[in-house]
């Protein structure tokens, strides 16, 4: 089991070992979060790799990843624990049939750990093989304020209370990573307890490195074209700009179609992998896509000529 | 590892971080003392080899929203070059804080006063040709009880005294939210969903005997209200009153809305939500007025809706928000763009209600191109020109299928075509 990193460089190397290409800023924040035991709050557009941070961290540290996907109306029964009611009912019937149905026996039996269904938050508080787990609270913005307030309490003491069993406290606090797509503003009280990091779209160089790590089957030339195209697309006037996840998807689509380089037909028939809104696709499909493609190609041949000249 | 940045000798680093935090606070970042303690600890554990690491560490501790990054950036580079710069920097930062422009508000007040003296005669007529003031039953109306007259009088034709009166009436208006079912549940004797947990607990008390099934029902939750208010010249007489109305809605206790967001638009979109929180309505309006620079200018509805869709819709329209769009729909931009953005808005919101003061004229038809473009993409189309219509709006919000005048105008439009 790898130990916690002892410097920012080590953190960066740790991430890169799992194929997650990570900038200096993210490495710094992740290192501090591990060192200080503070939750890491990651905010950014959809598809920039927020969730991947948690996955990579869990993999790199050899810890278990426990994921709590948030949604509107998420409550304690789904987030912390629940009782297994059908099994409890059968237990009552069995006790009746066996004639052992006295009150104290049932009280002890029915609400014991045997019938407890553990949900992510409770699980994260319990010791796991390999050390404290990585708790990923994904898309916190989808849930509502009452749950946020509850989380605030759970995350400040790293303990949850099950009335029938008592308080369960984490011996070693889990590594907490919270992500938000910013469909609403998360309350400052929660953010205050976390280290905040805004995950931006990567620049061309880093995106190329990400693509090489995540989709090694894509040829160098195609990768460069794909990244050039996507980078250029992000400067366009779009309702939803494509994230890194879309870049990887698109590159994989192109490989599946045995493409060696981008051309106009290919771009317009696979645009759905990049743009997810009909208005964006409609606006982009015909003229603009070709224009962008030409620009990207030109820039690439220009760069290639430049390096060739430099080499000569 | 010692940091290689220009930091004064031992013991001073914590003090400097504290000073830096104060500088950030002066620049408007919400930095509490808890954050400062966190930052000092973070800097303590970080083995910094580069200035960049130090920067990222402080950013992680002091920044909590993306828009704060630019301010932080500037403060950081100025402060850590020369920590003595605090005073200098504060004097640089402070002039950027906006002070409410009192002259402007006064001017508007003067206009209003003049209008009052001449009984509203020299207020420019509404841009529609058929707007020939049929309410010249003006003097006769004075025989009604004053409250009744006030309720049906058009905002545009109010005298200063009436406007003041209306202001008071509006402060008392309510706009109740219609709750939507949540996925959360609450105990309820007659609920439809079995509550196994309470059932089992009750059974425990009876020695394992299940006698009654505990029940629960879905809890209700409250949507957010998002208002887009047109403040262009053609809406001048209405936009202030309607912002006043929104202020009343946003500040009334127990109004139900989980949040009230307000935006103004003319030639550009401005978020005035923060200003509506000021307790005093006049104060709120003058602050909003200072923020929105395009007061009583032209209209570019399409462009403003596009800006809203791009920058704000994903942040304020989540979880079932209701949109109130307050505009006369008179727009000279490309109607195709307007239709496209209106459609996008309609697809992202649970309900879009268009309030149009021009709809008060009986002969109103969807002839203007902006109106034609917008109309198919709203759920409800209602007039908003006097206090009665605002009261009717409150009532209409309670009915889910209320379409206002939309169906009639769409049908009329088709007939004409």
């Amino acid at each position: 089991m790898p130990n916690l990193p002892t410097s920012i460089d080590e953190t960066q190397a740790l991430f890169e070992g799992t194929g997650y290409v990570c900038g200096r800023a993210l490495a710094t924040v992740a290192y501090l979060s591990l060192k200080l035991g503070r939750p890491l709050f990651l905010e950014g557009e959809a598809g920039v790799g927020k969730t991947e941070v948690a996955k990579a961290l869990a993999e790199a540290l050899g810890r278990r990843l426990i994921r709590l996907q948030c949604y509107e109306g998420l409550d304690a029964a789904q987030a912390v624990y629940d009782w297994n009611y059908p099994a409890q009912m059968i237990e009552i019937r069995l006790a009746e049939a066996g004639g052992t149905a006295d009150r104290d026996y049932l009280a002890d039996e029915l609400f014991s750990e045997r019938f407890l269904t553990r949900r992510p938050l409770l699980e994260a508080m319990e010791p796991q093989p390999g050390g404290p787990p990585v708790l990923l609270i994904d898309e916190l913005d989808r849930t509502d304020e009452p749950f946020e307030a509850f989380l605030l309490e759970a995350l400040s003491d790293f303990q949850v209370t099950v009335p029938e069993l008592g308080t369960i406290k984490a011996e070693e606090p889990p590594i907490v990573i919270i992500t938000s797509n910013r469909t609403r503003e998360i309350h400052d009280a929660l953010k205050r307890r976390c280290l905040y990091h805004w995950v931006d779209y990567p620049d061309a160089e880093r995106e190329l490195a990400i693509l090489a790590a995540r989709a090694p089957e894509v040829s160098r030339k195609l990768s460069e074209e794909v990244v050039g195209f996507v980078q250029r697309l992000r400067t366009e006037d779009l309702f939803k700009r494509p994230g890194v996840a879309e870049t990887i998807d698109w590159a994989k689509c192109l490989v599946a179609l045995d493409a060696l380089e981008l051309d106009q037909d290919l771009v317009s028939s696979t645009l759905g992998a990049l743009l997810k809104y009909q208005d964006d696709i409609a606006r982009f499909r015909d003229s603009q896509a070709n224009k962008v493609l030409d620009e990207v190609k030109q820039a690439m041949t220009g760069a290639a000529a430049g390096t060739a000249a430099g080499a000569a | 590892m010692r940091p290689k940045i220009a930091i004064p000798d031992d013991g001073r680093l914590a003090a400097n971080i504290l000073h830096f935090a104060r500088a950030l606070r002066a620049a408007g970042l919400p930095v509490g003392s808890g954050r400062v303690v966190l930052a000092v600890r973070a800097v303590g554990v970080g083995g910094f080899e580069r200035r960049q690491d130090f920067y990222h560490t402080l950013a992680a501790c002091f920044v909590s929203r993306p828009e704060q990054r630019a301010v932080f950036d500037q403060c950081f580079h100025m402060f850590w070059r020369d920590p003595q710069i605090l005073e200098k920097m504060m004097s640089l930062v402070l002039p950027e804080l906006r002070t409410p422009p009192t002259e402007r508000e006064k001017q508007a007040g003067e206009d209003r006063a003049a209008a009052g003296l001449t009984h509203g005669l020299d207020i420019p007529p509404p841009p529609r040709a058929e707007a020939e003031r049929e309410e010249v039953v003006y003097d006769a109306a004075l025989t009604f009880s004053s409250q009744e007259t006030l309720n049906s009088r058009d905002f545009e034709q109010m005298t200063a005294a009436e406007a003041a009166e209306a202001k008071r009436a509006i402060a008392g208006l309510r706009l109740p939210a219609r709750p939507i079912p949540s996925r959360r549940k609450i105990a309820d004797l007659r609920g439809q969903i079995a509550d196994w947990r309470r059932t089992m607990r009750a059974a425990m008390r009876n020695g394992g005997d299940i006698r009654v099934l505990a029940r629960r029902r879905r809890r209700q939750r409250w949507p957010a209200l998002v208002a887009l208010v047109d403040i262009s010249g053609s809406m001048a007489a209405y936009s202030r009153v309607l912002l006043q109305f929104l202020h009343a809605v946003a500040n009334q206790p127990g109004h139900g809305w989980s949040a009230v967001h307000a935006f103004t638009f003319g030639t550009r979109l401005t978020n005035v939500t923060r200003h509506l929180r000021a307790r005093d309505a006049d104060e709120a309006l003058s602050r909003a007025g200072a923020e929105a620079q395009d007061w009583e200018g032209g209209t570019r509805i399409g462009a403003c809706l596009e800006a809203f869709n791009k920058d704000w819709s994903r942040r304020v329209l989540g979880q079932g928000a209701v949109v109130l769009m307050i505009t006369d729909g008179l727009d000279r931009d490309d109607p195709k763009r307007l239709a496209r953005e209106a459609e996008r808005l309609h697809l992202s919101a649970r309900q879009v209600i268009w309030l149009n003061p021009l709809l008060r004229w009986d002969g109103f038809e969807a002839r203007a191109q902006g109106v034609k473009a917008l109309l198919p993409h709203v759920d409800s189309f209602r007039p908003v020109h006097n206090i009665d219509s605002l009261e009717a709006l409150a009532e209409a919000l309670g009915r889910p299928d209320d379409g206002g005048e939309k169906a009639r105008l769409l049908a009329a439009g088709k007939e004409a075509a």
Side-chain angles (χ1 to χ4, degrees), chain A residues 229 250 261-271 285-287 289-294 297:
Chain A
F229 190 85
W250 191 43
E261 59 178 320
L262 290 180
D263 62 54
Q264 296 179 358
D265 289 345
L266 206 57
V267 169
S268 73
S269 58
T270 54
L271 212 52
R285 172 148 276 159
D286 308 315
S287 50
N290 294 343
K291 204 184 82 203
V292 171
L293 186 60
D294 285 345
K297 292 246 179 195

Side-chain angles (χ1 to χ4, degrees), chain B residues 262-277:
Chain B
F263 295 83
T264 60
F265 67 92
T267 51
R268 66 191 187 86
L269 186 78
T270 315
N271 185 349
V272 295
T273 307
R274 218 153 34 91
H275 305 303
L276 283 192
R277 297 219 187 101

Side-chain angles (χ1 to χ4, degrees), chain A residues 172-225:
Chain A
E172 278 183 277
I175 299 165
V176 183
I177 295 183
I178 303 173
T179 77
S180 158
N181 284 336
R182 216 171 178 227
T183 59
R184 72 183 172 83
E185 216 58 77
I186 303 296
H187 200 281
D188 271 345
L190 184 67
K191 282 183 173 175
R192 219 161 46 76
R193 280 169 175 71
C194 306
L195 290 164
Y196 178 88
H197 180 67
W198 173 260
V199 187
D200 229 333
Y201 293 114
D203 56 16
E205 193 188 328
R206 194 136 60 83
E207 189 156 26
L208 210 57
I210 295 171
L211 195 57
R214 288 289 152 132
E217 68 274 22
V218 186
S219 72
R220 179 83 194 165
K221 180 161 189 288
L222 187 61
S223 306
E224 276 171 9
E225 284 185 348

Side-chain angles (χ1 to χ4, degrees), chain A residues 124-140:
Chain A
M125 303 298 168
E126 297 192 327
Q128 302 285 340
V134 175
L135 172 63
L136 167 63
I137 300 171
D138 215 2
E139 305 191 354
L140 181 63

